[in-house]
Amino acid sequence: MKYMIMMYGSQQDYDVLTGKEGAKPAWDEKDAAAMHEFMADWNNALVESGEFVEGHGLTAPVHARRIGVRDDGIPVVTDGPYAETQEVLAGFTIVECASFDRATEIAAQLANTPHPPDADLGRDWYVDVRPVAGGPGDYDL
């Protein structure tokens, strides 16, 4: 079974991680390098175990667009970030492993992602794990 591990972030998180002027606390190069090294090691371990399928980080929310539809059927495009949504999907990894418990164990390893000692997300940290539907029969496992 395949599982998607979804990581979330806000525009502020991206600003802090990239050291954008005015973002507090900014990550220095050492902190960012430690986080990137951790993620590379995590991904490489999944490749070596044969559980890695695919994974990508996404650009900052400021580069996103949301497309909705008005009552008259006309599409409406809104540039991000979205005032009604603080957190958006920041990246994902798809793994193929023996069980939901194993996928959860893999996702829980992300709790050890390095960060600056004084970093404060302003919210609880979390990732989501969901089975990937292979067909219509899988939507209600």
Side-chain angles (χ1 to χ4, degrees):
M1 171 69 72
K2 292 180 184 171
Y3 300 89
M4 179 180 271
I5 300 169
M6 295 166 279
M7 295 150 265
Y8 297 89
S10 66
Q11 183 63 49
Q12 179 182 356
D13 295 333
Y14 280 85
D15 291 348
V16 166
L17 182 60
T18 59
K20 187 173 184 174
E21 190 173 328
K24 301 215 188 303
W27 289 47
D28 62 27
E29 288 183 29
K30 179 182 169 189
D31 294 327
M35 190 272 299
H36 289 296
E37 181 179 347
F38 174 88
M39 292 303 298
D41 291 346
W42 182 77
N43 277 312
N44 289 337
L46 294 172
V47 169
E48 289 174 13
S49 72
E51 296 169 307
F52 182 85
V53 175
E54 182 176 4
H56 297 280
L58 302 175
T59 62
V62 71
H63 303 296
R65 291 185 179 152
R66 176 168 290 163
I67 295 90
V69 179
R70 293 189 330 204
D71 290 339
D72 59 5
I74 304 291
V76 177
V77 178
T78 306
D79 289 332
Y82 319 110
E84 67 277 6
T85 305
Q86 291 300 313
E87 295 173 6
V88 296
L89 187 64
F92 67 91
T93 299
I94 297 177
V95 297
E96 187 166 10
C97 53
S99 68
F100 204 172
D101 287 340
R102 173 62 183 145
T104 302
E105 178 183 304
I106 292 168
Q109 294 169 2
L110 293 171
N112 292 322
T113 303
H115 57 278
D118 59 345
D120 178 14
L121 294 175
R123 60 177 159 70
D124 290 336
W125 176 91
Y126 63 90
V127 299
D128 289 337
V129 180
R130 289 174 61 184
V132 175
D138 292 341
Y139 289 112
D140 191 21
L141 295 176

